Amino acid sequence: MIRILLANEFGSGRGHIVTLKSVAEALGMAFAFEAALAQLNHEDELSACCHEVYQASGLDCDTSRRSGPDAVITATWGEYLGDLGFARPDFLKDHILWWRDLIASDGYDLVVGECAPGALLAARSLGIPAVAIGPGHSVPPDELKAFPLFMPENGQLLYDERDLTANVNAILEPLGVPALQTFPEIYACADKIVRTIDLLDPYRGLRTRPYVPPVVDLGDGLADAGDEVFVYFSDVAAQPACLNKALCDLGLPVRAFIPGLEAEEAQRLSNGGVKVEPRAVPVEDIIRRSRMMVHYGMHGTTCLGLAAGLPQLTLPQQVEQLNNGRRVAERDAARVLMPQDWTVAHIQAAIHAVYSDATMATAARALSIEARPHLAADGRLAIRERLRPIVVDIFKAKGLA
């Protein structure tokens, strides 16, 4: 039986894990799946399809140089990877070798990585096929010479990509891997399955293969008569206190799902008039009850808002989330509030502005009608067809074909 490792190295949202789960669902029970995840907060999603789920070596974002009045804003995906650990040679070496040891010792035949560049590099060093899957940012095109600026107004960089590439080469070349010539080559692999839509892809126009629909629960119909502000904050550890404070005494009905929220903080929100949900809210309830959404700008949540036809307020913590929010804002269906403006007063004012903006509500519904056909297709068939030639080659190499 072919053994497949599902790998993730960063990202706390449920969408990362559901994306990996979709691979197992696409290929079915004829394969043996195991998962190695940097965070186990959504591991239950994989219980039905994986024999085991491991705690994995993760990439930890160092934001110490991104705060303060003169901070350098993260302007490229390469900069974000530098913050995640590619600028720290000793850490990076331990990280890649951890994945290499896991893949080699457990005898995997295929690695599927979602936000897992270390696992992709480790698989390459072992000559094992690997596939990258995920939204546009984390699955860049092959032909990039450098990661482009996503924020032209903020072009200052902390890292030289030549240095980041050298850090990788210093690890891989002793293992017999030819030297990388550009930093985006860290993502080179057997195939790249981009689960997004053209609107949200920062590399649109550069793809050579079609998109696979993102993982999103569409629900039935569009939002219409709801009056609630639906809030989803996925990462409690990186959540400034002002975000929750802004939800209290807002003067609007608020329903929030914040995984990992401490009981004391949940009670504080409840005392402030917020309906705190203990588990994920069914999308049908979000559509029926909500008038708008507030979130960081995560890809899957942005797609949910697009599908539901709900205006969105995004509070981006990193460059991918900023891109998602800006693309929807360009279509007048969202507003983006940058971290330097995160005060209780500013957040509350932004929520009220989106909540009462009838033009934005109309634009969100129109954009949903446009986007839903691209969101509605079943991605499992497309994933199965994309992985078929890779799997066939593995069967042949193992003498099973």
Side-chain angles (χ1 to χ4, degrees), residues 100-281:
R100 178 182 164 88
D101 289 345
L102 173 69
I103 295 167
S105 63
D106 286 10
Y108 294 107
D109 301 298
L110 174 65
V111 174
V112 179
E114 198 281 343
C115 287
L120 298 179
L121 290 169
R124 187 189 311 186
S125 76
L126 293 163
I128 293 172
V131 172
I133 188 169
H137 276 84
S138 61
V139 190
D142 289 333
E143 61 269 27
L144 292 178
K145 302 303 181 186
F147 287 105
L149 287 171
F150 294 136
M151 302 175 62
E153 73 277 23
N154 292 299
Q156 186 178 353
L157 304 178
L158 283 181
Y159 311 111
D160 187 326
E161 288 192 5
R162 292 172 296 184
D163 296 334
L164 301 180
T165 306
N167 291 343
V168 176
N169 284 335
I171 301 165
L172 296 187
E173 285 189 277
L175 301 175
V177 180
L180 279 61
Q181 302 303 308
T182 67
F183 191 43
E185 286 181 46
I186 64 173
Y187 286 100
C189 55
D191 196 8
K192 297 179 179 181
I193 299 175
V194 184
R195 303 207 66 170
T196 191
I197 58 176
D198 183 75
L199 174 67
L200 299 180
D201 185 9
Y203 306 106
R204 56 189 177 277
L206 299 177
R207 304 292 184 184
T208 58
R209 305 198 69 177
Y211 298 118
V212 172
V215 179
V216 56
D217 190 348
L218 296 180
D220 295 324
L222 303 181
D224 185 28
D227 65 350
E228 292 183 347
V229 178
F230 177 70
V231 179
Y232 173 46
F233 294 146
S234 62
D235 190 351
V236 171
Q239 181 181 329
C242 63
L243 299 189
N244 283 349
K245 290 180 180 178
L247 302 179
C248 296
D249 304 316
L250 190 61
L252 299 171
V254 180
R255 186 178 300 270
F257 174 52
I258 308 175
L261 193 66
E262 296 290 340
E264 182 178 349
E265 182 65 11
Q267 186 60 53
R268 188 177 295 113
L269 284 170
S270 182
N271 293 342
V274 179
K275 172 62 177 177
V276 180
E277 294 285 357
R279 58 188 61 86
V281 181

Side-chain angles (χ1 to χ4, degrees), residues 361-378:
T362 299
R365 289 180 60 82
L367 184 56
S368 177
I369 293 170
E370 175 185 323
R372 279 179 74 91
H374 303 285
L375 296 167
D378 186 347

Side-chain angles (χ1 to χ4, degrees), residues 25-28 193 379-389:
E25 292 175 336
L27 291 180
I193 299 175
R380 290 171 295 184
L381 177 60
I383 292 173
R384 191 179 308 127
E385 291 304 309
R386 291 282 289 272
L387 293 180
R388 185 188 303 277

